[in-house]
Each structure stands twice: as C-alpha cells, then as structure tokens.
Amino acid sequence: MKKRWMTTVMAMLAGMMVVTACGDKSGGSGVNGDGPYPLTLVVNQVGEIPDPNNPMEEKIREYTNTDLRIQWIPYSAYDEKVNVMVASNELPKLIKLNYTPTTISSLEADLFWDITTHLKNYPNLAAQPQAYYDNISVNGKVYGIPLFRDMGRAIVSYRKDWLDAAGLKEPVTLDDWYEIIRYSTEEDPDGNGKRDTYGMMLDKGYNQGTASTLTRLAVSQGAPNKWGIDEQGNFYPEFESEQFFEVMKLFRRLYEEKLINQDFAVVDSSELNKVYESGRANIRISGGNGQSLQTKLEKVVPEAVVDVSALQGPEGVRVPGESGNTGFLAIPKSTVKSEEELAKVLTFVDKLLDPEMVNVINKGIEGVHYEVEGDYTVTIDADKDAQEVKPYRDTFPQRGDLYNMEKKAKGTELFNKNKQIVYENENYIVPNPALTLKSNTYNERGGELEQIITDAQTKFIMGQIDEAGWKAEVERWRKSGGDQMAAEYKESYENQE
Amino acid sequence: MRQDQTWGNRLFDIINHSVLFIVAIVCVLPFVYVLAVSFASPAEVAKGGLILWPKEWSLVSYQYIFSSDTLPRSLLVSIYITVVGTLINLAFTSLMAYPLSKPHLRGRNPILLGVLITMLFSGGMIPTYFVVNGLNLTNTLWSLMIPNAISAFNLIVLKNFFQQIPDGLEDSAKIDGCNDLGVLIRIVLPLSLPAMATFGLFYAVAHWNTFFNAILYINDNEKWPIQVLLREIVILAQSRVGDASFDEMDVQPLTIRMAVIVFATVPILLVYPFLQKHFAKGVMLGSVKG
C-alpha cells in the first residue's frame, strides 16, 4: 500500500514538472523598418488588468503605429519592482516613475533621457503648461512626460439641506467652520432625535501628505503650503505659521467639546467614507468629486443634497498646490539607445494627446463606452467604463476636457460645478516651494521628522499637551534635523534661481 | 468531571472555562464579522453598525468575484504552487535532513555551519533577483517554489527529529536488505508523519501567503497568486488616499473587500482539519523492544 502511494506521488510530481516546463516565449521583432514600432510600457495597475487585445488597446496601437505591450505592476510594490528592473537592466522603453528620492537619484545618474530640449518638437507636449513639467524636473531638467492631474483638487463638500435648514452658508472663516460643525453635531440635523451625527470627521491621515486636512484648511486661511519663505529668504515649516496654529486650536476646541469624532487619531479613511456616505456627517475637505458622494448617499438617505464650494478664507480662495501629476513616463537609455529611437517613443506619447486618442483614452470607444448627445458625450455604463476605460485614463497622459477634447462629457450639475471649481482653483494655487528642492536630511530622515510633528499635533488636539508642550516639540523637531532641512531647502532654492 | 471535586476545584474549572471561552470568542468574532459582511447587502453595510448576522443574505459580492475569471484563476495558481511547492519542500528538506542526522557523515559540521550562515545572512532583494533571473526562472511559477525549497530552520528541526529515531529500527531494516534510500522511505518517513504534517503545514501556509516574490519575479499577471490580487483590492483601498490619481471618495465597497478575504482565506483554512490527525503522537510506541 505504502509503496503504491509513494509511486503515485512521484508520478504526479514528474507530471507536474512536465506541465510547467513550457516556459513563455515573448516574441520581439525588429526595431527598424516600416512595421509597427515595438514599444514596451510599464505602468502600475489600476483595478482589473485589461486583456492586452481589447479594442481600446488595439485602437491605440493602430493609431500610433506601434506594437504596444503594457506590463501592469501592482501598486503595492511598484517602486521595489522598478528598482529591481533598473538594477538588472530589464527596463522597458517607457516606464512610469514616481517622484521619489530613489527615482531622483537614478535620474541624476543619467539612466534616463533628458528630454528638456526635445519637448518643443512635439506640438502636443509643448502645448502643456510649463508648471507641470517644472514639478517633475530634477536640477531644472525634465526627464519625462507627467501623467497630468489637477493641481488644486481640494474642495469643500457639505450637506446643503442641513445648512439651508439652519440658515448657514458655506464656511469662510474658522468661526464659520466652528459654527457649522457645532450645529451639525449638537442640533440633530437629521431629525431622528439622537445625537448620532458629526459636523466633521477626521481620519488618521488628517495631517499627512497632500490630502492633509490641516494643511488644506490652514492654507485657505492664509498659511503657506508645507513650507513658507520669510523676508530673509529662510524656509520655515507651515506649522510655525500663525494661521496653522489657529486651525490646530480650532480642532483642539472641537475635540474638547466632542464635536468631532474622538477616535480620529486611529480611524481609517475608508471607515470615514462609510459614515459620510450613510448621511451621519456633514462637511469635509477632500480631493474627490462631490457627485460620487451624492450618488452613494442617495441610496441611504434619498432626500440628501450634497453641494460643493471652493476652499476659501478671509483673503478669498486659497488652495494648496499639489504636484499636478501622479508620476511621469520616462525613457530609459539602456533600451532606447539612439536619438532616432527616442524620437519614435516621444512621437508615440505626443500622438496620445491628439484629439482622436484623447477621446479613446478618456472615454473609450463610441457606441461601446459612450454615446454622443448633441454637444456632449454620455457614458453608457459606469461599471464598464471603470473596468475597461479607467485603466488607460489613469496611466496615459491626458488632461481631461482641458486639452484637445472635442465634446465634453455630460455630467450632473454638481459634477460640473465641482469640476469648474477645481479648474478655477489653478488661479489661486499656493505652491509648495520645497516640492522639487533637494534635501538630504529629508531623503534620509524625512519620515521620522514628520512623525515628531504629526504625533505632537495629535496630542495637542487631544489636549494631552498645551501650547508650551507643542512649542517644545517644534523645538525638538528643529534640533533633530528640521533646521538642517530648512537650510538645505534654502540652499537648493538659491541654486535654482 | 470527576466525582471527588472540592468547591475550590469546581470554581477554578468554571473560571478557567469562562476565561478560555471569552478568549476563543475574541479570536472567532473577527472571522464571523468578515463572513457576515461578505454576505450582507452593500446598503446594509453602508448604514453602519457592527454586523454579525446579515438581515438579508446577498450573494452580490461573490457574484462580483466570479464575474471575471481573474480571481478564480489566481486561486488555482495559489493552489498549484501550494500543493506542488509543499511537495518539493518536503522532498528536499527530508532528503537533506536525513543524511545530516547521521553523525558518521563526513563533512557534516561544515555543511551545518553553512546552513546556519544562511539563516543569519541573506543576499538581499536584488542579488537574489539576479540569481533567480540568471537561472531563467523569472516569469515561471518555479520562481516561487525552487528558491525557497529548503527552509534552514525547518531543516535543522527535522534533522533533530530524525536523530531521535532509534538506531535499532534502521539497523534491523539494513539487516533485512534495505539500502539508505529504502530506509528513509520505508522506515523513517512513515515514522515521521507528525513532523511531516507540521512542516507541510508551515510550508503550505508560506506558499499560500506568497505575495512579494510573486510581484518581483512574475511579470505575467495571469500567473499571479491570489494574495497579490487580495492586497491590491483590500490594502489599496486604504493606502492610496492622497494619491493624485485617486478620487478620495472612491473605494471598493467593504462587502466586496470582505468577500475577497473570505475567498482567499477559506481554502488554506480547510487544510488544517485534514492534517489534524497526523499530529497524533505515539507513532513509535512498541516499535523497539528494549
């Protein structure tokens, strides 16, 4: 018995070996000649990975006369995978990079083409605003084509039905914010007789990164975006500005009076979304579109009305500028060896911004994903759009209806209002001056330094430390490397001038 | 329950049982929650509150999972690398551990020292990648099974286990005309079933959780194991907020995330009960007359 069993296992093993032994063979044809130019592209995965022979991709291949092959890499390990590719010389001809310290050092090491002087030869690439290229530049050189995103996405979304009932308007000053939040928490705006609503909720990322609620609110009140520059040209961090401290004090008071969620330091943003989408919270600052909140909210609270307004303060609209990209497409020198070939790759990217391609990348294929209605186009099926079009919309350069789009997508009034505000925000942007500046301290210990401050902010808001305690923490941050960081930014800034 | 119990004993038992029961509940509840949410309707979950028993059962989330063949296919990949990979692990680990368990093996100590060194120092991500790439294993499922075929720690434990097997047994087999391989296959391995089951389980769970190596070594998304997709669906929902390409209000519904967790966890949970019986001890009782 035993023996027979062993033989079976051995036979199975042998069988498995035979089955998996067929390796894969990916064909590669010649680079020269008139056939489609073989182009490999590495980008990060968006949702489900589409079939490489789907009509969208076929259309792109046909129009650009390339044999485009896309390799999608999961978002969660993208940067590591790219490092391995760089180290083992297995790069594609076009790769999406993120603007991180590691990437910047490989750009400085000249592993990718500097395309600063080439851009002017390509009409579509040259037509894009310089600011987008500046934000991905390294030492003033441009190494790729940004995947464009709005620079001023921050927007205030709130429950218009609740504010109307209370006779309140969208907030301008911090007092307005306080009043709206107090009313929505204490006065039972949903009228169910229970104190189960919050005027505003924060999640644990409330003071981190570009989506930081503290930064967004403080900038609207006149604070700098992450870093400010004083008269002497010295850099100082946002949290030393008066307006920023006012915002911290506002949240301290809201926390003390139990007007915001008491678990804000640990709660996840997806938990927060659930509460907003179930109609138990009022106002928030986000980078999304109010329409998607309205759609989800209607399913739970049919009478809910969401509205959006620009992020404004006593000095009018002020929005923190974001990087304006979600990475950029760079061209490795190890795979694209000659200027002629570089021209082929850049031509491909340039063609993606032609009207016909803009339509395909943003909307998909007419009759399948969208239909034309007069001067507008309408998405046929939102799920199909998210599954089949979004992967391309998110990974190819496009500027939505701001560039080369013949017919705008038809959206609801709220959707269009939201879009219009974000578009106009570009005129009121407060840029982060340190965005493309170099600081070794930041590269080595940026995370650790940020931790000192974010923890201290949380403690201050929760009332565990007072103003003196906060000042001491800021001092500690300065001593631990904050001062050095500011000095390095100043030096880097003066070198760029 | 024995008859001769004092009150003190009984009280102790009661407290013991209730504490253990509470601990067990704490361990089980998260699973129940995940299961319940995956079977609830998205609207019910959106209303909030803790769900331990859905008001109305719905299979919407599971329909979504099976609506494309991506997730089922990756599950098959995971099952494949778990089964084949574990067989490879066990075969190679026992083939190396058995000779090392014999004191008369020449060069045994240097080899063991070499094994020990690999436990303390590793080459790092990129050198390891070069090795895998140099062997042309990249983009094949072998890259997930061969580089980790022998875990040094398990090897040493198994070697010690083999050393406990009485020499008399093997000698008698030798007298009956068995060669070394025969002894290993006919005598030693059958006696080591508990150890084999234990290490098999360790290896299987490790294969099932393969995530990072799969992303590193495999470019073809049709060969990704389930964990890669699970992570993409579940973790992404929380980690990408603030990323410019991401609508901050647009996250996969909780019900779908939970359904994917169930889908990816249940198969490996099913392995435990089948291995349970092999953990039984006392296999060697009475095999050697002392």
Side-chain angles (χ1 to χ4, degrees):
Chain A
M1 278 314 278
K2 273 270 156 24
K3 197 169 165 187
R4 266 220 339 250
W5 181 80
M6 280 311 292
T7 351
T8 329
V9 170
M10 287 297 168
M12 267 168 61
L13 261 179
M16 298 272 186
M17 301 217 174
V18 173
V19 171
T20 40
C22 9
D24 69 315
K25 292 186 173 58
S26 49
S29 56
V31 173
N32 307 317
D34 300 331
Y37 170 65
L39 185 72
T40 41
L41 166 69
V42 166
V43 288
N44 66 248
Q45 182 187 351
V46 182
E48 286 246 343
I49 293 182
D51 181 310
N53 297 324
N54 74 61
M56 294 267 313
E57 221 163 297
E58 292 291 0
K59 248 197 153 69
I60 295 170
R61 274 194 278 270
E62 185 190 347
Y63 184 87
T64 56
N65 190 24
T66 55
D67 182 19
L68 174 68
R69 292 287 162 224
I70 304 178
Q71 186 188 334
W72 308 85
I73 294 174
Y75 187 89
S76 33
Y78 191 79
D79 288 345
E80 285 92 346
K81 178 86 182 182
V82 169
N83 289 345
V84 166
M85 284 180 162
V86 171
S88 64
N89 238 338
E90 290 193 333
L91 288 161
K93 297 197 167 159
L94 197 56
I95 184 165
K96 187 205 126 157
L97 299 177
N98 294 316
Y99 198 79
T100 60
T102 337
T103 307
I104 291 170
S105 59
S106 59
L107 293 178
E108 285 176 326
D110 242 7
L111 294 173
F112 296 88
W113 284 94
D114 166 9
I115 56 169
T116 326
T117 51
H118 298 79
L119 286 172
K120 61 175 190 301
N121 309 331
Y122 302 92
N124 292 327
L125 300 183
Q128 308 310 323
Q130 189 55 37
Y132 288 98
Y133 291 114
D134 288 346
N135 283 355
I136 58 161
S137 66
V138 177
N139 305 330
K141 293 181 190 156
V142 179
Y143 287 92
I145 298 96
L147 298 172
F148 304 94
R149 290 296 180 270
D150 295 315
M151 284 192 182
R153 291 187 312 150
I155 192 150
V156 183
S157 63
Y158 52 87
R159 288 286 298 273
K160 189 166 164 32
D161 47 336
W162 289 6
L163 291 200
D164 285 353
L168 292 165
K169 289 222 162 348
E170 65 261 30
V172 178
T173 64
L174 291 182
D175 292 339
D176 297 346
W177 279 91
Y178 175 81
E179 189 45 39
I180 288 171
I181 294 168
R182 188 203 60 77
Y183 162 81
S184 321
T185 311
E186 287 188 340
E187 316 249 336
D188 190 24
D190 58 352
N192 64 354
K194 283 188 263 177
R195 183 178 161 136
D196 60 350
T197 52
Y198 276 115
M200 185 175 190
M201 293 178 78
L202 298 179
D203 64 72
K204 62 182 183 206
Y206 78 103
N207 55 357
Q208 285 155 30
T210 41
S212 156
T213 302
L214 282 193
T215 300
R216 284 169 168 173
L217 191 50
V219 167
S220 77
Q221 301 299 310
N225 176 8
K226 302 288 178 196
W227 290 87
I229 307 175
D230 62 16
E231 289 83 40
Q232 290 86 46
N234 291 320
F235 276 66
Y236 66 92
E238 60 176 356
F239 48 82
E240 288 196 337
S241 73
E242 198 182 321
Q243 298 91 339
F244 196 94
F245 192 60
E246 288 301 317
V247 171
M248 279 170 55
K249 282 203 293 206
L250 167 75
F251 282 116
R252 183 186 173 108
R253 183 178 167 194
L254 290 167
Y255 180 84
E256 194 179 7
E257 298 176 9
K258 298 204 166 39
L259 301 177
I260 53 169
N261 53 324
Q262 302 290 290
D263 59 356
F264 74 95
V266 291
V267 75
D268 211 87
S269 65
S270 59
E271 293 296 311
L272 222 65
N273 290 343
K274 259 200 319 203
V275 183
Y276 276 95
E277 285 158 19
S278 64
R280 286 182 290 120
N282 181 358
I283 195 163
R284 78 190 291 191
I285 308 176
S286 82
N289 190 305
Q291 182 54 46
S292 59
L293 177 59
Q294 173 78 42
T295 312
K296 287 170 180 156
L297 195 49
E298 273 170 7
K299 289 177 185 156
V300 185
V301 188
E303 68 276 10
V305 184
V306 175
D307 201 1
V308 292
S309 74
L311 191 57
Q312 54 195 343
E315 302 166 36
V317 179
R318 266 181 125 249
V319 189
E322 296 173 27
S323 63
N325 65 69
T326 171
F328 53 98
L329 297 178
I331 303 146
K333 285 189 168 172
S334 59
T335 45
V336 177
K337 291 198 164 63
S338 61
E339 295 259 346
E340 290 78 43
E341 208 178 334
L342 173 66
K344 280 188 173 173
V345 178
L346 284 174
T347 307
F348 163 78
V349 183
D350 189 57
K351 277 185 179 166
L352 293 178
L353 287 159
D354 283 350
E356 191 174 332
M357 281 291 103
V358 165
N359 251 344
V360 170
I361 289 167
N362 277 289
K363 299 173 187 174
I365 290 159
E366 190 173 346
V368 180
H369 302 109
Y370 72 94
E371 276 168 335
V372 177
E373 278 188 21
D375 293 345
Y376 291 100
T377 58
V378 182
T379 306
I380 294 173
D381 173 2
D383 287 342
K384 209 174 160 74
D385 176 80
Q387 237 169 25
E388 294 173 6
V389 187
K390 193 175 191 301
Y392 301 94
R393 193 163 48 219
D394 281 0
T395 47
F396 284 132
Q398 46 88 6
R399 293 193 56 216
D401 49 21
L402 298 178
Y403 187 78
N404 264 358
M405 192 179 283
E406 290 151 340
K407 292 185 172 177
K408 288 192 170 132
K410 194 173 187 167
T412 59
E413 206 175 318
L414 178 62
F415 179 82
N416 291 337
K417 181 179 176 182
N418 199 129
K419 225 163 53 168
Q420 190 58 31
I421 291 174
V422 170
Y423 177 54
E424 281 170 16
N425 274 349
E426 306 237 338
N427 309 321
Y428 305 107
I429 276 181
V430 180
N432 169 4
L435 193 64
T436 57
L437 299 181
K438 275 212 307 235
S439 156
N440 286 334
T441 313
Y442 172 78
N443 293 352
E444 286 158 22
R445 307 211 330 274
E448 174 194 333
L449 286 168
E450 195 183 10
Q451 188 86 43
I452 295 178
I453 289 301
T454 50
D455 285 353
Q457 284 166 342
T458 304
K459 282 183 185 152
F460 180 81
I461 290 171
M462 292 175 80
Q464 294 171 358
I465 53 175
D466 56 4
E467 188 165 347
W470 160 248
K471 288 271 191 296
E473 288 294 316
V474 173
E475 200 45 44
R476 188 160 79 91
W477 174 86
R478 283 197 161 279
K479 291 251 182 318
S480 322
D483 276 334
Q484 223 173 328
M485 212 151 80
E488 284 162 2
Y489 279 143
K490 183 182 176 181
E491 189 190 350
S492 169
Y493 182 72
E494 283 162 357
N495 287 344
Q496 275 198 8
E497 289 292 283
Chain B
M1 292 293 235
R2 295 196 313 278
Q3 286 304 309
D4 57 342
Q5 280 206 323
T6 62
W7 272 108
N9 272 351
R10 274 214 194 134
L11 189 68
F12 178 73
D13 274 351
I14 290 169
I15 290 175
N16 229 353
H17 285 159
S18 29
V19 168
L20 286 175
F21 183 73
I22 289 167
V23 171
I25 287 282
V26 168
C27 294
V28 169
L29 270 186
F31 281 99
V32 176
Y33 172 74
V34 168
L35 259 174
V37 170
S38 74
F39 281 109
S41 69
E44 188 183 339
V45 174
K47 283 201 180 70
L50 184 73
I51 301 178
L52 289 178
W53 196 256
K55 287 193 189 63
E56 45 179 298
W57 294 78
S58 124
L59 286 171
V60 172
S61 314
Y62 291 94
Q63 276 165 350
Y64 170 85
I65 289 180
F66 287 101
S67 65
S68 74
D69 54 7
T70 317
L71 280 160
R73 189 181 51 218
S74 66
L75 189 74
L76 288 180
V77 170
S78 273
I79 290 172
Y80 177 82
I81 59 170
T82 304
V83 173
V84 180
T86 307
L87 285 175
I88 291 174
N89 289 139
L90 290 177
F92 283 82
T93 312
S94 48
L95 279 176
M96 186 167 176
Y98 182 62
L100 287 175
S101 71
K102 298 287 170 239
H104 59 255
L105 178 77
R106 270 190 228 116
R108 175 178 175 226
N109 285 337
I111 294 176
L112 280 173
L113 186 69
V115 171
L116 208 63
I117 286 174
T118 64
M119 277 176 80
L120 302 174
F121 306 100
S122 74
M125 183 175 87
I126 289 176
T128 312
Y129 181 86
F130 280 156
V131 172
V132 173
N133 202 16
L135 296 170
N136 280 332
L137 291 175
T138 36
N139 217 7
T140 66
L141 292 179
W142 295 115
S143 65
L144 306 180
M145 302 190 271
I146 291 179
N148 305 319
I150 301 176
S151 135
F153 180 78
N154 292 356
L155 177 85
I156 288 170
V157 178
L158 191 63
K159 171 192 87 86
N160 293 340
F161 186 91
F162 285 160
Q163 275 171 335
Q164 290 169 5
I165 293 175
D167 290 339
L169 273 177
E170 297 177 41
D171 292 345
S172 59
K174 281 257 167 72
I175 291 164
D176 286 343
C178 239
N179 60 9
D180 280 329
L181 197 61
V183 173
L184 173 65
I185 290 174
R186 287 161 186 240
I187 310 286
V188 177
L189 286 184
L191 289 176
S192 314
L193 277 183
M196 286 289 150
T198 314
F199 292 126
L201 185 69
F202 287 168
Y203 279 129
V205 172
H207 279 302
W208 190 260
N209 291 336
T210 297
F211 150 75
F212 195 72
N213 284 356
I215 290 189
L216 229 47
Y217 301 141
I218 293 187
N219 298 331
D220 180 355
N221 55 313
E222 295 193 353
K223 293 182 188 157
W224 278 339
I226 187 97
Q227 299 295 339
V228 175
L229 290 117
L230 174 71
R231 207 183 157 95
E232 205 60 9
I233 290 170
V234 178
I235 311 279
L236 212 62
Q238 293 152 17
S239 64
R240 279 189 72 180
V241 174
D243 165 19
S245 66
F246 201 60
D247 182 336
E248 285 167 31
M249 298 177 185
D250 189 21
V251 166
Q252 283 273 32
L254 192 69
T255 48
I256 287 179
R257 280 188 274 151
M258 293 302 176
V260 177
I261 293 177
V262 171
F263 184 74
T265 323
V266 165
I268 196 74
L269 285 179
L270 292 179
V271 172
Y272 286 79
F274 290 109
L275 286 177
Q276 187 65 40
K277 67 169 194 244
H278 293 295
F279 295 135
K281 289 197 185 66
V283 193
M284 294 191 298
L285 279 181
S287 56
V288 181
K289 292 203 172 77

